[in-house]
């Protein structure tokens, strides 16, 4: 468990469903929340003593991860965009829906990404100079912001990449933030918006070339 800035903790944990480490976050809002959580090495007890999350936010339907543990331990409310609720069914995880554009408890704004899947959401968190949490649309591996491999992007990866690029350019143009959190990859604290925009602009020529081809 690593405090990457006041009020914001990051940790990695192994996700056996994808055979890879993934990234999760605890944010000391009022009330506290967790984002795309796996249980940390410290276990569920770490979240006691005033850290109990009242809400769990999923950036897409596939990030249920260890959400049930937070329901069982703290009675937390789990949230996912309405378009992803079909994943859970009547007997599955109990999930509360939101829509893109909603303001969620703690002042978190649900921003539309879509493209990759209808419910893909970026979360704008009112902490410090603004924190943007990203799901599967973008990753940060080896210090570089990019996309998951093409085989995970369906039958038209170039078109999906172009749509993701355009969605995040709109977010950069419309909202203020300085820090980036990734569900897959190390967070980027300070200068995140500038680095995101720079990465998106670098993607333009490569993506357009793929689309022409």
């Amino acid at each position: 468990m690593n405090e990457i800035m006041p009020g914001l903790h990051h940790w990695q944990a192994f996700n056996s469903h994808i055979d890879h480490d993934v990234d999760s976050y605890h944010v000391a809002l009022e009330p506290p929340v967790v984002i795309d959580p796996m249980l940390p090495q410290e276990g569920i007890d770490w979240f006691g003593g005033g850290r109990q999350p009242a809400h769990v936010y999923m950036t897409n339907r596939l990030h249920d991860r260890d959400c049930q543990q937070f329901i069982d331990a703290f009675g937390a409310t789990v949230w996912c965009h309405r378009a992803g609720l079909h994943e859970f069914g009547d007997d599955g995880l109990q999930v509360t829906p939101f829509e893109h554009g909603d303001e969620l408890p703690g002042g978190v704004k649900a921003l539309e990404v879509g493209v990759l899947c209808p419910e893909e959401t970026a979360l704008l968190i009112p902490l410090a100079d603004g924190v943007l949490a990203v799901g599967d649309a973008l990753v940060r591996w080896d210090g570089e912001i990019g996309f998951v491999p093409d085989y995970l992007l369906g039958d038209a990866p170039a078109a999906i990449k172009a749509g993701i690029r355009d969605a995040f350019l709109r977010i950069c143009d419309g909202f203020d933030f300085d820090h980036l959190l990734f569900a897959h990859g190390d967070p980027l604290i300070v200068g995140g918006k500038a680095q995101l925009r720079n990465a998106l602009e670098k993607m333009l020529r490569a993506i357009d070339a793929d689309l022409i081809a």
Side-chain angles (χ1 to χ4, degrees):
M1 187 70 70
N2 182 28
E3 187 174 30
I4 54 178
M5 58 185 288
L8 178 58
H9 283 81
H10 163 248
W11 68 97
Q12 289 187 326
F14 183 74
N15 187 338
S16 61
H17 293 291
I18 62 172
D19 198 31
H20 205 281
D21 286 344
V22 297
D23 297 79
S24 305
Y25 302 90
H26 177 276
V27 192
L29 299 175
E30 184 55 52
V33 306
V34 288
I35 299 171
D36 293 336
M38 295 288 293
L39 283 184
Q41 184 177 2
E42 294 84 350
I44 198 72
D45 290 343
W46 184 89
F47 299 93
R51 295 175 176 149
Q52 299 96 326
H55 299 279
V56 179
Y57 295 137
M58 286 190 284
T59 52
N60 64 56
R61 72 185 192 279
L62 301 179
H63 288 184
D64 53 319
R65 297 181 174 177
D66 286 331
C67 288
Q68 187 64 51
Q69 302 273 3
F70 292 87
I71 295 175
D72 295 342
F74 307 115
T77 300
V78 176
W79 298 76
C80 180
H81 187 275
R82 185 178 300 278
L85 263 59
H86 63 86
E87 181 78 11
F88 309 108
D90 294 337
D91 298 323
L93 186 72
Q94 296 300 303
V95 178
T96 299
F98 62 77
E99 304 286 352
H100 290 138
D102 286 354
E103 182 169 309
L104 305 176
V108 175
K109 294 180 180 178
L111 306 183
E112 182 177 7
V113 177
V115 188
L116 190 62
C117 57
E119 77 276 6
E120 183 78 9
T121 301
L123 300 169
L124 185 63
I125 301 162
L127 189 71
D129 295 317
V131 178
L132 189 72
V134 178
D136 288 344
L138 294 172
V139 299
R140 186 171 182 245
W141 292 335
D142 299 322
E144 297 291 329
I145 299 173
F147 301 109
V148 297
D150 283 2
Y151 73 87
L152 295 174
L153 294 176
D155 296 331
I160 294 294
K161 290 176 184 178
I164 292 171
R165 174 204 62 195
D166 292 345
F168 279 98
L169 284 173
R170 288 193 297 270
I171 289 172
C172 285
D173 289 341
F175 300 93
D176 293 327
F177 57 92
D178 194 38
H179 318 285
L180 287 173
L181 310 181
F182 296 88
H184 300 280
D186 291 333
L188 206 171
I189 303 301
V190 181
K193 181 175 181 177
Q195 292 193 47
L196 174 59
R197 186 180 288 278
N198 184 55
L200 294 169
E201 289 173 352
K202 286 182 178 180
M203 294 170 187
L204 286 172
R205 183 173 298 176
I207 294 171
D208 289 344
D210 288 344
L211 286 170
I212 292 171

